[in-house]
Amino acid sequence: MQNAPGEYPILTLSSERKHYFAELSFSSEPNRDTENMEGVTVLKKIRILRDNAVSTQSAVELDGTVYEVYRVYHGTDDESGEEITDISLSKVIEDYEKQS
């Protein structure tokens, strides 16, 4: 869909990959807004098999809700030795179109 001049871009959600490993437990420090950084609340943290294409430019859909990716860690699981990607999810994205 094309935007009119001056309008916000419409985000398009495409289904590039489908995988899910586990939701991780986490604790979050209280938000502390600083002069140069806005406080971010992490809503969920998930782990998938390693996917280097996942970045902070990605979005994740879980159970019909789309989240913005806030932080990504590509590494190795300490227990299994599997290559993993841990993804911290922040705000819910509501204004998007699903690509067919």
Side-chain angles (χ1 to χ4, degrees):
M1 178 176 211
Q2 193 71 15
N3 293 4
E7 289 184 351
Y8 286 105
I10 296 173
L11 301 174
T12 302
L13 182 67
S14 63
S15 181
E16 292 183 16
R17 290 166 180 69
K18 292 183 180 185
H19 48 199
Y20 182 66
F21 191 54
E23 186 165 345
L24 301 173
S25 300
F26 70 97
S27 64
S28 184
E29 294 180 17
N31 285 345
R32 292 189 199 113
D33 295 346
T34 65
E35 189 176 314
N36 299 323
M37 188 172 128
E38 181 182 323
V40 174
T41 301
V42 172
L43 301 175
K44 290 183 180 278
K45 193 169 183 180
I46 63 171
R47 173 169 289 173
I48 62 174
L49 294 176
R50 189 172 185 134
D51 185 345
N52 290 329
V54 176
S55 73
T56 56
Q57 302 301 307
S58 302
V60 171
E61 181 177 7
L62 293 174
D63 299 325
T65 302
V66 180
Y67 297 90
E68 182 177 285
V69 173
Y70 171 64
R71 181 173 289 138
V72 179
Y73 167 76
H74 303 289
T76 305
D77 182 72
D78 292 336
E79 294 177 12
S80 69
E82 288 274 354
E83 295 290 312
I84 51 93
T85 296
D86 288 346
I87 308 169
S88 298
L89 305 172
S90 63
K91 68 182 180 180
V92 174
I93 301 171
E94 295 180 8
D95 192 17
Y96 67 91
E97 289 184 350
K98 246 185 180 173
Q99 193 176 50
S100 304

